[in-house]
Amino acid sequence: MAVQHKIGRSGEYLAASYLARIFDEVLSTSECSRYDFLCTSDQANIKVQVKTTNSTFDHHGSKWVRWDIKKRITNKNKHRVYSAEEVDVFAFVCLLNDTVIFKPNRRLGKTFQKKLEYIDTVNSMQSLELALEAVGTNAKPLL
């Protein structure tokens, strides 16, 4: 398995571990699907796209982490962002500190980036609850 594939798969598993605490089912989708997980419960069905990184970049003396959100258009050298109909919530996984930042798919642009020191302060479960609230579901953790 290629290194990039292992990185992506690791991020998906970490994100799924948080999603499974809230949803009755966390269903993986096919490679060609526009989202990675369909999460279902009595209260909601949510489409989640996972983006994973394990590297940083330096910017003005600080370490930053960046995720590309844009999606390649099939058979073209162009990219586009995910629509609200395609993805409800993004799960931005930073493997450097095993943190997941969940964000609703609203005005995110083509990249999402944060300082590593900020990511160290994120409570992944709390970010999931806030993202779900923003997309209109009040699902609460089972655990």
Side-chain angles (χ1 to χ4, degrees):
M1 184 183 290
V3 171
Q4 286 301 106
H5 193 197
K6 283 184 179 182
I7 291 168
R9 185 57 50 103
S10 297
E12 289 174 4
Y13 289 148
L14 183 57
S17 74
Y18 287 101
L19 295 166
R21 298 175 203 187
I22 290 184
F23 292 96
D24 296 328
E25 292 185 285
V26 178
L27 306 168
S28 293
T29 61
S30 69
E31 292 279 328
C32 62
S33 179
R34 302 212 188 277
Y35 49 91
D36 293 313
F37 296 115
L38 176 62
C39 304
T40 66
S41 72
D42 292 340
Q43 299 167 339
N45 294 326
I46 301 292
K47 296 172 280 190
V48 179
Q49 175 64 35
V50 180
K51 297 294 183 181
T52 305
T53 188
N54 72 339
S55 62
T56 62
F57 68 96
D58 290 322
H59 184 66
H60 297 292
S62 297
K63 298 267 187 213
W64 285 72
V65 178
R66 175 179 40 232
W67 297 267
D68 288 327
I69 302 173
K70 60 189 179 226
K71 183 170 182 67
R72 186 171 173 263
I73 298 174
T74 306
N75 297 326
K76 296 188 178 177
N77 226 4
K78 296 182 180 182
H79 293 82
R80 64 176 179 81
V81 296
Y82 292 83
S83 72
E85 291 78 32
E86 294 173 313
V87 173
D88 298 308
V89 172
F90 280 95
F92 297 105
V93 179
C94 180
L95 293 178
L96 299 169
N97 58 6
D98 290 337
T99 300
V100 184
I101 303 172
F102 292 93
K103 289 287 184 184
N105 184 14
R106 303 225 171 90
R107 297 182 301 273
L108 290 175
K110 294 181 181 178
T111 61
F112 182 74
Q113 56 190 28
K114 294 291 178 189
K115 280 186 178 181
L116 187 58
E117 65 186 48
Y118 164 78
I119 295 170
D120 287 335
T121 68
V122 170
N123 177 317
S124 298
M125 199 69 221
Q126 185 178 46
S127 79
L128 175 55
E129 291 173 19
L130 291 171
L132 293 176
E133 186 177 304
V135 297
T137 182
N138 293 321
K140 296 295 179 196
L142 302 172
L143 304 173

